mmCIF file of all heavy atoms in Angstrom:
data_model
loop_
_atom_site.group_PDB
_atom_site.id
_atom_site.type_symbol
_atom_site.label_atom_id
_atom_site.label_comp_id
_atom_site.label_asym_id
_atom_site.label_seq_id
_atom_site.Cartn_x
_atom_site.Cartn_y
_atom_site.Cartn_z
ATOM 1 N N MET A 1 -35.019 36.108 113.803
ATOM 2 C CA MET A 1 -36.279 35.698 113.184
ATOM 3 C C MET A 1 -36.467 36.340 111.822
ATOM 4 O O MET A 1 -36.946 35.719 110.879
ATOM 5 C CB MET A 1 -37.452 36.060 114.103
ATOM 6 C CG MET A 1 -37.509 35.237 115.385
ATOM 7 S SD MET A 1 -38.920 35.679 116.433
ATOM 8 C CE MET A 1 -40.287 35.206 115.361
ATOM 9 N N VAL A 2 -36.064 37.617 111.707
ATOM 10 C CA VAL A 2 -36.155 38.298 110.407
ATOM 11 C C VAL A 2 -35.233 37.615 109.403
ATOM 12 O O VAL A 2 -35.610 37.427 108.225
ATOM 13 C CB VAL A 2 -35.790 39.781 110.573
ATOM 14 C CG1 VAL A 2 -35.562 40.434 109.204
ATOM 15 C CG2 VAL A 2 -36.890 40.522 111.316
ATOM 16 N N GLY A 3 -34.048 37.230 109.825
ATOM 17 C CA GLY A 3 -33.126 36.540 108.922
ATOM 18 C C GLY A 3 -33.677 35.211 108.453
ATOM 19 O O GLY A 3 -33.596 34.876 107.260
ATOM 20 N N VAL A 4 -34.234 34.432 109.385
ATOM 21 C CA VAL A 4 -34.827 33.140 109.016
ATOM 22 C C VAL A 4 -36.003 33.339 108.058
ATOM 23 O O VAL A 4 -36.164 32.594 107.073
ATOM 24 C CB VAL A 4 -35.281 32.392 110.283
ATOM 25 C CG1 VAL A 4 -36.080 31.139 109.912
ATOM 26 C CG2 VAL A 4 -34.076 31.996 111.129
ATOM 27 N N LEU A 5 -36.820 34.327 108.344
ATOM 28 C CA LEU A 5 -37.975 34.598 107.476
ATOM 29 C C LEU A 5 -37.545 34.992 106.069
ATOM 30 O O LEU A 5 -38.106 34.509 105.070
ATOM 31 C CB LEU A 5 -38.826 35.712 108.088
ATOM 32 C CG LEU A 5 -40.066 36.137 107.289
ATOM 33 C CD1 LEU A 5 -41.022 34.969 107.130
ATOM 34 C CD2 LEU A 5 -40.757 37.311 107.963
ATOM 35 N N ALA A 6 -36.518 35.843 105.978
ATOM 36 C CA ALA A 6 -36.041 36.270 104.668
ATOM 37 C C ALA A 6 -35.482 35.097 103.868
ATOM 38 O O ALA A 6 -35.768 34.941 102.675
ATOM 39 C CB ALA A 6 -34.981 37.342 104.832
ATOM 40 N N ALA A 7 -34.707 34.241 104.520
ATOM 41 C CA ALA A 7 -34.157 33.069 103.834
ATOM 42 C C ALA A 7 -35.273 32.127 103.401
ATOM 43 O O ALA A 7 -35.236 31.559 102.296
ATOM 44 C CB ALA A 7 -33.165 32.360 104.743
ATOM 45 N N SER A 8 -36.257 31.950 104.261
ATOM 46 C CA SER A 8 -37.371 31.052 103.954
ATOM 47 C C SER A 8 -38.178 31.565 102.771
ATOM 48 O O SER A 8 -38.544 30.787 101.866
ATOM 49 C CB SER A 8 -38.282 30.896 105.178
ATOM 50 O OG SER A 8 -37.570 30.346 106.265
ATOM 51 N N LEU A 9 -38.474 32.835 102.757
ATOM 52 C CA LEU A 9 -39.245 33.409 101.639
ATOM 53 C C LEU A 9 -38.469 33.322 100.330
ATOM 54 O O LEU A 9 -39.059 33.064 99.264
ATOM 55 C CB LEU A 9 -39.609 34.861 101.961
ATOM 56 C CG LEU A 9 -40.625 35.069 103.089
ATOM 57 C CD1 LEU A 9 -40.836 36.559 103.341
ATOM 58 C CD2 LEU A 9 -41.949 34.390 102.760
ATOM 59 N N THR A 10 -37.180 33.535 100.416
ATOM 60 C CA THR A 10 -36.350 33.419 99.206
ATOM 61 C C THR A 10 -36.372 31.990 98.682
ATOM 62 O O THR A 10 -36.525 31.743 97.462
ATOM 63 C CB THR A 10 -34.898 33.837 99.508
ATOM 64 O OG1 THR A 10 -34.884 35.172 99.990
ATOM 65 C CG2 THR A 10 -34.045 33.752 98.251
ATOM 66 N N PHE A 11 -36.256 31.028 99.572
ATOM 67 C CA PHE A 11 -36.283 29.613 99.185
ATOM 68 C C PHE A 11 -37.629 29.233 98.582
ATOM 69 O O PHE A 11 -37.705 28.563 97.540
ATOM 70 C CB PHE A 11 -35.983 28.739 100.391
ATOM 71 C CG PHE A 11 -35.999 27.274 100.107
ATOM 72 C CD1 PHE A 11 -34.922 26.658 99.469
ATOM 73 C CD2 PHE A 11 -37.102 26.486 100.444
ATOM 74 C CE1 PHE A 11 -34.941 25.307 99.193
ATOM 75 C CE2 PHE A 11 -37.124 25.142 100.179
ATOM 76 C CZ PHE A 11 -36.031 24.534 99.540
ATOM 77 N N ILE A 12 -38.704 29.688 99.241
ATOM 78 C CA ILE A 12 -40.055 29.388 98.732
ATOM 79 C C ILE A 12 -40.272 30.008 97.362
ATOM 80 O O ILE A 12 -40.882 29.398 96.471
ATOM 81 C CB ILE A 12 -41.122 29.886 99.720
ATOM 82 C CG1 ILE A 12 -41.055 29.069 101.024
ATOM 83 C CG2 ILE A 12 -42.519 29.810 99.135
ATOM 84 C CD1 ILE A 12 -41.940 29.593 102.126
ATOM 85 N N GLY A 13 -39.772 31.230 97.192
ATOM 86 C CA GLY A 13 -39.926 31.887 95.892
ATOM 87 C C GLY A 13 -39.267 31.107 94.770
ATOM 88 O O GLY A 13 -39.844 30.954 93.675
ATOM 89 N N PHE A 14 -38.070 30.590 94.995
ATOM 90 C CA PHE A 14 -37.394 29.786 93.971
ATOM 91 C C PHE A 14 -38.128 28.474 93.742
ATOM 92 O O PHE A 14 -38.182 27.970 92.606
ATOM 93 C CB PHE A 14 -35.943 29.535 94.386
ATOM 94 C CG PHE A 14 -34.995 30.606 93.934
ATOM 95 C CD1 PHE A 14 -34.757 31.723 94.720
ATOM 96 C CD2 PHE A 14 -34.347 30.512 92.717
ATOM 97 C CE1 PHE A 14 -33.890 32.722 94.313
ATOM 98 C CE2 PHE A 14 -33.475 31.499 92.293
ATOM 99 C CZ PHE A 14 -33.247 32.617 93.090
ATOM 100 N N ARG A 15 -38.688 27.882 94.781
ATOM 101 C CA ARG A 15 -39.430 26.636 94.635
ATOM 102 C C ARG A 15 -40.661 26.827 93.767
ATOM 103 O O ARG A 15 -41.039 25.947 92.969
ATOM 104 C CB ARG A 15 -39.854 26.114 96.017
ATOM 105 C CG ARG A 15 -38.741 25.419 96.766
ATOM 106 C CD ARG A 15 -38.295 24.171 96.035
ATOM 107 N NE ARG A 15 -37.332 23.396 96.804
ATOM 108 C CZ ARG A 15 -36.775 22.278 96.373
ATOM 109 N NH1 ARG A 15 -37.060 21.810 95.169
ATOM 110 N NH2 ARG A 15 -35.895 21.636 97.126
ATOM 111 N N LEU A 16 -41.325 27.987 93.941
ATOM 112 C CA LEU A 16 -42.537 28.242 93.163
ATOM 113 C C LEU A 16 -42.253 28.353 91.670
ATOM 114 O O LEU A 16 -43.119 28.028 90.840
ATOM 115 C CB LEU A 16 -43.212 29.539 93.668
ATOM 116 C CG LEU A 16 -43.837 29.466 95.069
ATOM 117 C CD1 LEU A 16 -44.380 30.824 95.483
ATOM 118 C CD2 LEU A 16 -44.942 28.407 95.102
ATOM 119 N N VAL A 17 -41.065 28.810 91.331
ATOM 120 C CA VAL A 17 -40.721 28.924 89.901
ATOM 121 C C VAL A 17 -39.886 27.718 89.453
ATOM 122 O O VAL A 17 -39.307 27.727 88.365
ATOM 123 C CB VAL A 17 -39.938 30.232 89.638
ATOM 124 C CG1 VAL A 17 -40.805 31.439 89.961
ATOM 125 C CG2 VAL A 17 -38.645 30.280 90.438
ATOM 126 N N ARG A 18 -39.852 26.687 90.310
ATOM 127 C CA ARG A 18 -39.152 25.443 90.015
ATOM 128 C C ARG A 18 -37.688 25.690 89.632
ATOM 129 O O ARG A 18 -37.175 25.187 88.633
ATOM 130 C CB ARG A 18 -39.859 24.697 88.888
ATOM 131 C CG ARG A 18 -41.294 24.335 89.232
ATOM 132 C CD ARG A 18 -41.965 23.620 88.067
ATOM 133 N NE ARG A 18 -43.351 23.323 88.340
ATOM 134 C CZ ARG A 18 -43.786 22.276 89.027
ATOM 135 N NH1 ARG A 18 -42.893 21.412 89.519
ATOM 136 N NH2 ARG A 18 -45.080 22.068 89.230
ATOM 137 N N ALA A 19 -37.024 26.496 90.440
ATOM 138 C CA ALA A 19 -35.605 26.790 90.208
ATOM 139 C C ALA A 19 -34.836 26.537 91.500
ATOM 140 O O ALA A 19 -35.402 26.502 92.582
ATOM 141 C CB ALA A 19 -35.424 28.240 89.753
ATOM 142 N N GLU A 20 -33.556 26.336 91.361
ATOM 143 C CA GLU A 20 -32.701 26.086 92.504
ATOM 144 C C GLU A 20 -31.931 27.358 92.826
ATOM 145 O O GLU A 20 -31.207 27.895 91.969
ATOM 146 C CB GLU A 20 -31.713 24.964 92.198
ATOM 147 C CG GLU A 20 -30.946 24.469 93.407
ATOM 148 C CD GLU A 20 -31.829 23.679 94.376
ATOM 149 O OE1 GLU A 20 -32.876 23.160 93.946
ATOM 150 O OE2 GLU A 20 -31.431 23.587 95.563
ATOM 151 N N PRO A 21 -32.065 27.901 94.028
ATOM 152 C CA PRO A 21 -31.368 29.145 94.361
ATOM 153 C C PRO A 21 -29.864 28.914 94.483
ATOM 154 O O PRO A 21 -29.416 27.836 94.886
ATOM 155 C CB PRO A 21 -31.967 29.535 95.718
ATOM 156 C CG PRO A 21 -32.396 28.225 96.322
ATOM 157 C CD PRO A 21 -32.856 27.385 95.157
ATOM 158 N N PRO A 22 -29.067 29.888 94.091
ATOM 159 C CA PRO A 22 -27.620 29.765 94.285
ATOM 160 C C PRO A 22 -27.303 29.548 95.770
ATOM 161 O O PRO A 22 -28.020 30.027 96.647
ATOM 162 C CB PRO A 22 -27.093 31.125 93.794
ATOM 163 C CG PRO A 22 -28.162 31.650 92.896
ATOM 164 C CD PRO A 22 -29.449 31.146 93.462
ATOM 165 N N ARG A 23 -26.242 28.833 96.037
ATOM 166 C CA ARG A 23 -25.917 28.473 97.417
ATOM 167 C C ARG A 23 -25.651 29.697 98.292
ATOM 168 O O ARG A 23 -25.870 29.662 99.495
ATOM 169 C CB ARG A 23 -24.707 27.549 97.426
ATOM 170 C CG ARG A 23 -24.944 26.235 96.670
ATOM 171 C CD ARG A 23 -23.723 25.341 96.709
ATOM 172 N NE ARG A 23 -23.352 24.960 98.061
ATOM 173 C CZ ARG A 23 -22.312 24.176 98.367
ATOM 174 N NH1 ARG A 23 -21.532 23.716 97.383
ATOM 175 N NH2 ARG A 23 -22.044 23.859 99.622
ATOM 176 N N TRP A 24 -25.180 30.774 97.691
ATOM 177 C CA TRP A 24 -24.856 31.970 98.442
ATOM 178 C C TRP A 24 -26.064 32.862 98.701
ATOM 179 O O TRP A 24 -26.022 33.747 99.570
ATOM 180 C CB TRP A 24 -23.801 32.796 97.714
ATOM 181 C CG TRP A 24 -24.247 33.216 96.316
ATOM 182 C CD1 TRP A 24 -23.996 32.560 95.147
ATOM 183 C CD2 TRP A 24 -25.018 34.372 95.982
ATOM 184 N NE1 TRP A 24 -24.553 33.224 94.079
ATOM 185 C CE2 TRP A 24 -25.185 34.352 94.577
ATOM 186 C CE3 TRP A 24 -25.564 35.415 96.694
ATOM 187 C CZ2 TRP A 24 -25.898 35.320 93.887
ATOM 188 C CZ3 TRP A 24 -26.281 36.391 96.012
ATOM 189 C CH2 TRP A 24 -26.437 36.351 94.644
ATOM 190 N N LEU A 25 -27.153 32.631 97.950
ATOM 191 C CA LEU A 25 -28.262 33.579 98.002
ATOM 192 C C LEU A 25 -29.028 33.556 99.322
ATOM 193 O O LEU A 25 -29.391 34.601 99.855
ATOM 194 C CB LEU A 25 -29.223 33.298 96.836
ATOM 195 C CG LEU A 25 -30.369 34.320 96.686
ATOM 196 C CD1 LEU A 25 -29.804 35.717 96.476
ATOM 197 C CD2 LEU A 25 -31.278 33.928 95.517
ATOM 198 N N LEU A 26 -29.294 32.351 99.858
ATOM 199 C CA LEU A 26 -30.082 32.278 101.099
ATOM 200 C C LEU A 26 -29.379 32.968 102.272
ATOM 201 O O LEU A 26 -30.003 33.790 102.971
ATOM 202 C CB LEU A 26 -30.405 30.824 101.427
ATOM 203 C CG LEU A 26 -31.288 30.085 100.414
ATOM 204 C CD1 LEU A 26 -31.633 28.691 100.933
ATOM 205 C CD2 LEU A 26 -32.554 30.873 100.130
ATOM 206 N N PRO A 27 -28.103 32.667 102.537
ATOM 207 C CA PRO A 27 -27.441 33.395 103.625
ATOM 208 C C PRO A 27 -27.317 34.892 103.344
ATOM 209 O O PRO A 27 -27.355 35.709 104.260
ATOM 210 C CB PRO A 27 -26.071 32.724 103.751
ATOM 211 C CG PRO A 27 -25.879 31.983 102.474
ATOM 212 C CD PRO A 27 -27.226 31.602 101.996
ATOM 213 N N ALA A 28 -27.151 35.253 102.062
ATOM 214 C CA ALA A 28 -27.047 36.670 101.719
ATOM 215 C C ALA A 28 -28.373 37.382 101.997
ATOM 216 O O ALA A 28 -28.395 38.499 102.533
ATOM 217 C CB ALA A 28 -26.650 36.839 100.260
ATOM 218 N N ALA A 29 -29.482 36.735 101.637
ATOM 219 C CA ALA A 29 -30.803 37.324 101.881
ATOM 220 C C ALA A 29 -31.051 37.476 103.384
ATOM 221 O O ALA A 29 -31.574 38.498 103.846
ATOM 222 C CB ALA A 29 -31.886 36.472 101.242
ATOM 223 N N ALA A 30 -30.669 36.441 104.138
ATOM 224 C CA ALA A 30 -30.852 36.490 105.589
ATOM 225 C C ALA A 30 -29.997 37.599 106.199
ATOM 226 O O ALA A 30 -30.472 38.374 107.041
ATOM 227 C CB ALA A 30 -30.492 35.146 106.211
ATOM 228 N N GLY A 31 -28.750 37.692 105.771
ATOM 229 C CA GLY A 31 -27.852 38.709 106.311
ATOM 230 C C GLY A 31 -28.322 40.119 105.984
ATOM 231 O O GLY A 31 -28.292 41.010 106.839
ATOM 232 N N LEU A 32 -28.752 40.335 104.740
ATOM 233 C CA LEU A 32 -29.225 41.668 104.346
ATOM 234 C C LEU A 32 -30.476 42.051 105.124
ATOM 235 O O LEU A 32 -30.608 43.191 105.590
ATOM 236 C CB LEU A 32 -29.510 41.679 102.844
ATOM 237 C CG LEU A 32 -30.026 43.011 102.282
ATOM 238 C CD1 LEU A 32 -28.989 44.103 102.501
ATOM 239 C CD2 LEU A 32 -30.362 42.861 100.789
ATOM 240 N N ALA A 33 -31.397 41.123 105.302
ATOM 241 C CA ALA A 33 -32.627 41.396 106.049
ATOM 242 C C ALA A 33 -32.324 41.730 107.506
ATOM 243 O O ALA A 33 -32.913 42.648 108.090
ATOM 244 C CB ALA A 33 -33.574 40.203 105.970
ATOM 245 N N MET A 34 -31.384 40.982 108.096
ATOM 246 C CA MET A 34 -31.040 41.259 109.501
ATOM 247 C C MET A 34 -30.365 42.607 109.640
ATOM 248 O O MET A 34 -30.604 43.323 110.619
ATOM 249 C CB MET A 34 -30.140 40.148 110.040
ATOM 250 C CG MET A 34 -30.856 38.818 110.243
ATOM 251 S SD MET A 34 -29.873 37.581 111.156
ATOM 252 C CE MET A 34 -28.606 37.230 109.943
ATOM 253 N N LEU A 35 -29.528 42.969 108.666
ATOM 254 C CA LEU A 35 -28.857 44.271 108.719
ATOM 255 C C LEU A 35 -29.881 45.404 108.623
ATOM 256 O O LEU A 35 -29.817 46.373 109.397
ATOM 257 C CB LEU A 35 -27.842 44.377 107.585
ATOM 258 C CG LEU A 35 -27.093 45.725 107.475
ATOM 259 C CD1 LEU A 35 -26.276 45.974 108.741
ATOM 260 C CD2 LEU A 35 -26.202 45.732 106.230
ATOM 261 N N ILE A 36 -30.818 45.281 107.701
ATOM 262 C CA ILE A 36 -31.844 46.315 107.539
ATOM 263 C C ILE A 36 -32.690 46.423 108.796
ATOM 264 O O ILE A 36 -33.016 47.533 109.260
ATOM 265 C CB ILE A 36 -32.726 46.001 106.311
ATOM 266 C CG1 ILE A 36 -31.883 46.130 105.031
ATOM 267 C CG2 ILE A 36 -33.926 46.942 106.263
ATOM 268 C CD1 ILE A 36 -32.623 45.711 103.774
ATOM 269 N N PHE A 37 -33.049 45.285 109.381
ATOM 270 C CA PHE A 37 -33.856 45.296 110.598
ATOM 271 C C PHE A 37 -33.100 45.967 111.733
ATOM 272 O O PHE A 37 -33.675 46.772 112.501
ATOM 273 C CB PHE A 37 -34.230 43.872 110.981
ATOM 274 C CG PHE A 37 -34.983 43.774 112.285
ATOM 275 C CD1 PHE A 37 -36.352 44.010 112.327
ATOM 276 C CD2 PHE A 37 -34.327 43.444 113.457
ATOM 277 C CE1 PHE A 37 -37.044 43.932 113.521
ATOM 278 C CE2 PHE A 37 -35.009 43.358 114.665
ATOM 279 C CZ PHE A 37 -36.378 43.599 114.693
ATOM 280 N N HIS A 38 -31.817 45.655 111.863
ATOM 281 C CA HIS A 38 -31.016 46.241 112.936
ATOM 282 C C HIS A 38 -30.894 47.752 112.772
ATOM 283 O O HIS A 38 -31.018 48.503 113.754
ATOM 284 C CB HIS A 38 -29.629 45.590 112.942
ATOM 285 C CG HIS A 38 -28.733 46.121 114.015
ATOM 286 N ND1 HIS A 38 -28.894 45.788 115.348
ATOM 287 C CD2 HIS A 38 -27.666 46.979 113.968
ATOM 288 C CE1 HIS A 38 -27.985 46.406 116.070
ATOM 289 N NE2 HIS A 38 -27.228 47.125 115.260
ATOM 290 N N ILE A 39 -30.657 48.198 111.557
ATOM 291 C CA ILE A 39 -30.548 49.637 111.297
ATOM 292 C C ILE A 39 -31.863 50.339 111.607
ATOM 293 O O ILE A 39 -31.885 51.392 112.271
ATOM 294 C CB ILE A 39 -30.118 49.889 109.842
ATOM 295 C CG1 ILE A 39 -28.696 49.359 109.594
ATOM 296 C CG2 ILE A 39 -30.201 51.373 109.503
ATOM 297 C CD1 ILE A 39 -28.255 49.443 108.147
ATOM 298 N N ALA A 40 -32.967 49.757 111.117
ATOM 299 C CA ALA A 40 -34.276 50.365 111.358
ATOM 300 C C ALA A 40 -34.582 50.425 112.847
ATOM 301 O O ALA A 40 -35.150 51.410 113.345
ATOM 302 C CB ALA A 40 -35.348 49.568 110.628
ATOM 303 N N SER A 41 -34.198 49.395 113.566
ATOM 304 C CA SER A 41 -34.438 49.362 115.013
ATOM 305 C C SER A 41 -33.626 50.437 115.724
ATOM 306 O O SER A 41 -34.115 51.075 116.677
ATOM 307 C CB SER A 41 -34.072 47.985 115.566
ATOM 308 O OG SER A 41 -34.355 47.904 116.943
ATOM 309 N N ASP A 42 -32.393 50.659 115.290
ATOM 310 C CA ASP A 42 -31.555 51.697 115.888
ATOM 311 C C ASP A 42 -32.182 53.080 115.717
ATOM 312 O O ASP A 42 -32.201 53.895 116.649
ATOM 313 C CB ASP A 42 -30.161 51.696 115.266
ATOM 314 C CG ASP A 42 -29.263 50.630 115.858
ATOM 315 O OD1 ASP A 42 -29.634 50.060 116.905
ATOM 316 O OD2 ASP A 42 -28.196 50.358 115.273
ATOM 317 N N TYR A 43 -32.680 53.348 114.518
ATOM 318 C CA TYR A 43 -33.255 54.657 114.244
ATOM 319 C C TYR A 43 -34.618 54.849 114.904
ATOM 320 O O TYR A 43 -35.018 55.980 115.189
ATOM 321 C CB TYR A 43 -33.379 54.869 112.723
ATOM 322 C CG TYR A 43 -32.077 55.268 112.075
ATOM 323 C CD1 TYR A 43 -31.216 54.309 111.539
ATOM 324 C CD2 TYR A 43 -31.688 56.601 111.991
ATOM 325 C CE1 TYR A 43 -30.018 54.668 110.951
ATOM 326 C CE2 TYR A 43 -30.491 56.971 111.398
ATOM 327 C CZ TYR A 43 -29.661 55.992 110.874
ATOM 328 O OH TYR A 43 -28.465 56.356 110.294
#
């Protein structure tokens, strides 16, 4: 859910500025958010 939320917010942010996000950015944002969430949960 954190990954989906991060990708969605990134997509919405680019839409608001009328820009097209790079194809790699959405999965990268989702992956980074999930990694941070997992680490925080472990600690």
Side-chain angles (χ1 to χ4, degrees):
M1 291 181 64
V2 167
V4 172
L5 179 61
S8 299
L9 291 177
T10 302
F11 179 77
I12 293 173
F14 272 88
R15 281 296 187 181
L16 291 176
V17 298
R18 300 179 183 277
E20 190 71 22
R23 299 180 61 180
W24 59 267
L25 186 59
L26 296 185
L32 180 61
M34 289 190 292
L35 178 62
I36 293 175
F37 176 81
H38 180 74
I39 294 174
S41 183
D42 279 348
Y43 280 92

